[in-house]
Amino acid sequence: MTQIFDAIVCAFRDLFQFKVLWIVIWPMLASVLLWMVLGVVFWDTFSGWITSGLTYIGVQEWLEGLEPRWVANGIQIITHFILFVPLVFTTALLITAFFAMPALIRLVADRDYPQLKRENGGSNIGNLLNAALAIGVFIAIWVLSLPFWLIGIGVIVPFVAATYLNQRLFRFDAVAEHASSEEMKSMFSTYQSSWWGLGLLTGLLQFVPILNLFAPVLTALAFIHFGLARLTSLRKVSE
């Protein structure tokens, strides 16, 4: 746990550097604007999908008979919001992983790990496949868990989904440039519980007001620090 907290502390330290501030802002801004435009253009389509989903789990019929109507309308608006927020954060995470990660890795590696040799064990195809799997499982968790919202335990779904997405998406990117393919396999296996722990803690930040605005870049920085520190330790042991 100490290693996980050290990585998060280092991430907070780096977060407000001048070079990082723009990287903090633009993924979230781009994500919000993207989904606002899509929401306006495809509002009827999205509403239809939500209605179909509520009908499938048996809620829509109850809503249609609910009085006063403003209560039912309010519940439907909240449902839209519940789905909108994860989409925004997930998109911001993906933008950060694909476009901002290289700059963050250079920043951390050049300053804190200048002697760490780059082995380039991760390929672009591997990165895309890893991201596709992460997104697919993330979506599956949300879809398969919809019935659990009816019995009150659905509130844990966002935390489980965020934990999985963070650890799966960022652990690969954090070390792909510096570790060899063998080192990556070893690190993912040896530190599996730690990757999940870091994914959980950074995932929780997505639900803390104000901090959630910085969550994508903070998550990326934490995984970079954790990954490069573990890689350094692994190479010292093997020497």
Side-chain angles (χ1 to χ4, degrees):
M1 287 299 292
T2 301
Q3 298 169 341
I4 295 175
F5 284 117
D6 286 345
I8 293 177
V9 169
C10 289
F12 271 106
R13 180 199 66 191
D14 293 341
L15 188 62
F16 296 103
Q17 291 189 41
F18 181 77
K19 293 180 179 179
V20 179
L21 288 178
W22 175 239
I23 302 176
V24 170
I25 295 172
W26 79 262
M28 185 64 71
L29 182 61
S31 180
V32 170
L33 291 175
L34 172 65
W35 283 106
M36 285 182 64
V37 171
L38 291 176
V40 171
V41 175
F42 298 104
W43 178 263
D44 291 338
T45 301
F46 291 157
S47 296
W49 289 347
I50 292 173
T51 299
S52 298
L54 294 176
T55 300
Y56 177 76
I57 62 177
V59 174
Q60 186 62 29
E61 184 177 351
W62 172 73
L63 284 175
E64 291 175 353
L66 189 63
E67 295 293 343
R69 288 304 303 163
W70 66 266
V71 175
N73 292 335
I75 293 174
Q76 290 179 319
I77 291 174
I78 292 173
T79 303
H80 282 74
F81 184 75
I82 289 174
L83 295 175
F84 177 78
V85 171
L87 287 172
V88 169
F89 280 113
T90 302
T91 304
L93 284 172
L94 292 173
I95 292 173
T96 301
F98 281 114
F99 300 106
M101 201 71 168
L104 294 173
I105 291 172
R106 285 194 299 272
L107 174 71
V108 173
D110 291 347
R111 186 194 60 208
D112 296 330
Y113 307 93
Q115 304 304 319
L116 197 59
K117 183 180 178 182
R118 287 170 166 81
E119 296 288 351
N120 297 305
S123 63
N124 291 330
I125 294 177
N127 186 20
L128 290 174
L129 291 175
N130 180 70
L133 178 61
I135 297 169
V137 174
F138 177 81
I139 294 173
I141 291 173
W142 275 96
V143 172
L144 295 176
S145 64
L146 287 176
F148 293 110
W149 288 90
L150 298 177
I151 56 178
I153 63 175
V155 292
I156 69 173
V157 173
F159 303 105
V160 173
T163 298
Y164 173 81
L165 183 64
N166 284 353
Q167 65 87 27
R168 184 76 200 194
L169 186 63
F170 284 102
R171 71 179 187 180
F172 184 97
D173 291 342
V175 298
E177 184 176 331
H178 288 80
S180 66
S181 57
E182 292 77 15
E183 287 173 330
M184 291 175 69
K185 292 178 182 178
S186 176
M187 292 176 65
F188 295 160
S189 175
T190 303
Y191 303 112
Q192 184 177 29
S193 60
S194 296
W195 292 116
W196 277 90
L198 186 57
L200 174 62
L201 291 178
T202 53
L204 292 175
L205 294 176
Q206 298 176 19
F207 304 94
V208 179
I210 306 301
L211 280 181
N212 54 12
L213 300 176
F214 306 99
V217 173
L218 186 62
T219 298
L221 287 169
F223 272 84
I224 293 169
H225 277 287
F226 181 84
L228 296 186
R230 301 292 72 73
L231 179 59
T232 300
S233 299
L234 178 65
R235 288 182 178 174
K236 286 182 178 179
V237 171
S238 62
E239 289 178 352

